[in-house]
Amino acid sequence: MKVLGIESSCDETACAIVEDGKKILSNVVATQIPFHQVYKGVVPEIASRKHAEWILPVVRQALSEASLRPDEIDAVAATNRPGLMGSLLVGLTFGKTLAWSLGKPFYAVNHMLGHMYAAHLENDISYPYLGLLVSGGHSIIAKVNDFDDLEVLGTTIDDSVGEAFNKVSKFYGLGYPGGVVVDRLAKSGNAASFSFPVPKLDKGEHRYDVSFSGLKTAVIHQADMFLNKGFEKTNENICAAFQETACRTLTSRLFRAVEDTGLRTVVAGGGVAANSRLRSLLAERKDITCIFPPLKLCGDNGAMIAGVAYHFLKRGERSGWDTTAEARIREFKRGLANLEAFGRR
């Protein structure tokens, strides 16, 4: 079964064709980074206009690289939430129109489920496991029971980790996208140069939660207060210390969930899953198995959307033609109450 997946939730126009939820026949991503770089962040109006301009050639290229005609695909899928509303509508409308014109099933897919599925495209992973979903908009620790069945254990109470990376990079004029730049500069810095604060969320329902607002404020506005003796305040040192604190904040909550649940497999997803320090910290734990997507599948891509849709297709489900876009998913609640917001349409 060949599924064509479209992803346009932010600033990448992406389309992929995946066979049986695993085999990637094509994976085309047109990035808008050069158009947003001057603003040091994504401009929604520019993003939606570029999606409208690029969506048809990107889909055509994906079909060409897979050596398929449109009528040879079995289903069409597109991201419908969460993301920038204008961007989502471009991919969703194109996907529904393409599916309707071909008489094929259509699937609206949650962007977050796509990121959590990305590692499955190149790995055989058994459920359940602990999922670490870290991106520009989300920081989530969840027990993953199935491709659309996530029990959220912890999330951020304020900023996402990806947002913190981007804001720090923007403040210091380091470049865009911030996560990539900070990771690169951190390799030349010393993580011990600053002692940035770590939030104390240790009790009750916040046992697995994270917070990055205080860390972001400390790095941007109070760095001199936390500079350790004998070190210089350089961009490289700031990046190294900030990245170390951010990654250890995530892994401390994740490892707590490992001990409490007894699950020894951790699967990561999202753009921050490409961070080299986060990967090395997880790899240091020899008593757990950590699985990451390849770097090309950490960022937004159509393959993860097609992969999720295949499993809906296999179950005989489909989305209605009246399915629309949602800029945000519904408010997170602990445990199974999340199913409606996170996976089930």
Side-chain angles (χ1 to χ4, degrees):
M1 302 292 283
K2 302 176 182 65
V3 179
L4 183 148
I6 295 170
E7 158 57 34
S8 67
S9 63
C10 192
D11 62 333
E12 268 88 30
T13 309
C15 180
I17 299 174
V18 176
E19 185 174 23
D20 294 337
K22 293 288 286 186
K23 184 179 180 181
I24 300 175
L25 304 181
S26 63
N27 187 27
V28 179
V29 179
T31 180
Q32 300 179 14
I33 288 176
F35 299 95
H36 301 283
Q37 219 156 21
V38 65
Y39 304 102
K40 299 180 176 64
V42 177
V43 181
E45 178 67 16
I46 294 175
S48 60
R49 288 179 179 272
K50 285 299 174 184
H51 284 308
E53 179 183 343
W54 291 352
I55 186 70
L56 180 57
V58 165
V59 171
R60 282 176 170 166
Q61 184 178 342
L63 286 164
S64 175
E65 291 185 7
S67 300
L68 292 172
R69 301 187 311 272
D71 62 339
E72 291 179 307
I73 61 175
D74 297 289
V76 178
T79 304
N80 79 314
R81 57 182 170 147
L84 301 176
M85 197 64 174
S87 296
L88 286 167
L89 284 169
V90 173
L92 180 66
T93 303
F94 189 97
K96 288 198 291 186
T97 303
L98 179 61
W100 180 83
S101 67
L102 295 172
K104 305 292 185 179
F106 173 75
Y107 298 91
V109 175
N110 186 316
H111 177 78
M112 296 292 99
L113 291 183
H115 274 311
M116 203 67 265
Y117 186 81
H120 288 259
L121 289 162
E122 294 194 0
N123 299 276
D124 293 323
I125 308 171
S126 299
Y127 297 103
Y129 57 77
L130 283 177
L132 177 65
L133 205 164
V134 280
S135 66
H138 296 273
S139 300
I140 296 168
I141 296 171
K143 180 186 176 188
V144 183
N145 300 307
D146 206 342
F147 76 97
D148 67 336
D149 184 346
L150 281 73
E151 296 180 46
V152 174
L153 304 177
T155 184
T156 178
I157 64 170
D158 41 54
D159 300 334
S160 71
V161 63
E163 179 186 355
F165 271 87
N166 287 329
K167 291 294 176 60
V168 167
S169 179
K170 183 177 181 178
F171 179 83
Y172 286 102
L174 304 179
Y176 173 83
V180 176
V181 177
V182 170
D183 194 1
R184 175 173 52 82
L185 290 176
K187 290 180 171 62
S188 301
N190 191 323
S193 55
F194 292 83
S195 297
F196 291 125
V198 177
K200 300 296 184 182
L201 299 170
D202 297 327
K203 298 179 180 179
E205 68 172 9
H206 294 299
R207 182 170 174 77
Y208 309 110
D209 285 344
V210 293
S211 169
F212 295 102
S213 179
L215 172 60
K216 183 181 68 176
T217 299
V219 176
I220 291 176
H221 299 296
Q222 303 166 338
D224 291 337
M225 290 174 52
F226 300 101
L227 180 64
N228 292 322
K229 292 183 179 180
F231 293 96
E232 295 182 41
K233 184 183 176 182
T234 64
N235 287 339
E236 290 79 5
N237 283 344
I238 289 171
C239 288
F242 161 68
Q243 177 174 268
E244 185 74 14
T245 305
C247 290
R248 286 192 179 276
T249 297
L250 285 169
T251 56
S252 66
R253 300 306 186 270
L254 178 65
F255 294 153
R256 179 176 292 168
V258 167
E259 300 306 322
D260 290 351
T261 64
L263 295 172
R264 296 286 160 177
T265 299
V266 172
V267 179
V272 182
N275 182 271
S276 63
R277 184 54 182 151
L278 180 61
R279 289 184 172 228
S280 65
L281 283 173
L282 290 175
E284 289 174 5
R285 282 290 296 259
K286 303 304 181 183
D287 58 328
I288 62 177
T289 300
C290 297
I291 305 172
F292 289 88
L295 294 179
K296 64 181 179 181
L297 296 178
C298 287
D300 294 350
N301 64 88
M304 66 186 191
I305 303 304
V308 170
Y310 164 76
H311 292 278
F312 284 122
L313 174 64
K314 193 167 66 170
R315 285 203 311 217
E317 300 180 20
R318 63 173 64 191
S319 300
W321 299 117
D322 60 345
T323 303
T324 190
E326 298 178 50
R328 298 178 180 272
I329 55 179
R330 300 172 188 88
E331 182 182 359
F332 283 128
K333 296 178 182 178
R334 296 297 190 276
L336 292 173
N338 260 311
L339 288 177
E340 177 61 26
F342 220 103
R344 306 280 168 80
R345 300 179 307 288

